Amino acid sequence: MKFAAKRTWPDKAPTWEHQDDADDASSFALEFATLEQLAVDTEFVVMCKEGSGQEVQFFRVAATAPYRLEPAESRTATAASAPADSASPAVETAEEDESAAAGLPNLSPVISMIFYMGKVAFIATAGIALMAFVIGYFRG
């Protein structure tokens, strides 16, 4: 069967890092951890790319010499499945704000670039005007 894997914690990979054929998800996960030389407590997801179900399994590296894996849960599923009475309302609103802000694009680089280009345009215009004044002074 064809499997794909990518890291989910502590660094989340944007694309599938490894794709290959294997007998089952556990053997593929062990192969992925060994090839990528993942550190202890690194979590990753393995997805079956064939079949109708497209099973998804989460693993955590428990030891590195030799590699030993443990089943793990999705980080988003563990936060969502926490009981509501154990969290304070302030914590719940902070989690809601973070999840709402995650979908919005970050415009600060664009704004910084616009201010930078404005400064460059001002300095270039001032430099050209100063050169025109100096050339006119020497000609006249």
Side-chain angles (χ1 to χ4, degrees), residues 9-79:
W9 191 85
D11 299 323
K12 186 173 183 177
T15 60
W16 295 104
E17 297 178 84
H18 185 66
Q19 297 183 17
D20 203 1
D21 292 326
D23 294 333
D24 62 348
S26 299
S27 62
F28 179 78
L30 187 61
E31 175 188 339
F32 173 67
T34 305
L35 288 175
E36 295 293 326
Q37 296 184 350
L38 300 179
V40 175
D41 290 334
T42 300
E43 294 182 7
F44 59 96
V45 62
V46 173
M47 183 178 88
C48 179
K49 306 250 336 184
E50 292 178 349
S52 61
Q54 288 195 349
E55 297 176 23
V56 175
Q57 294 181 1
F58 291 88
F59 293 94
R60 184 175 68 84
V61 178
T64 57
Y67 273 95
R68 187 169 53 89
L69 304 176
E70 296 177 345
E73 293 186 19
S74 170
R75 290 271 174 177
T76 56
T78 56

Side-chain angles (χ1 to χ4, degrees), residues 96-139:
E96 290 172 5
D97 291 343
E98 288 177 7
S99 63
L104 298 176
N106 187 3
L107 295 179
S108 63
V110 174
I111 294 169
S112 297
M113 183 195 62
I114 290 172
F115 280 127
Y116 173 76
M117 295 305 289
K119 290 180 205 175
V120 169
F122 176 76
I123 292 171
T125 304
I128 292 170
L130 180 64
M131 286 192 317
F133 178 74
V134 169
I135 290 172
Y137 177 75
F138 283 126
R139 281 191 177 172

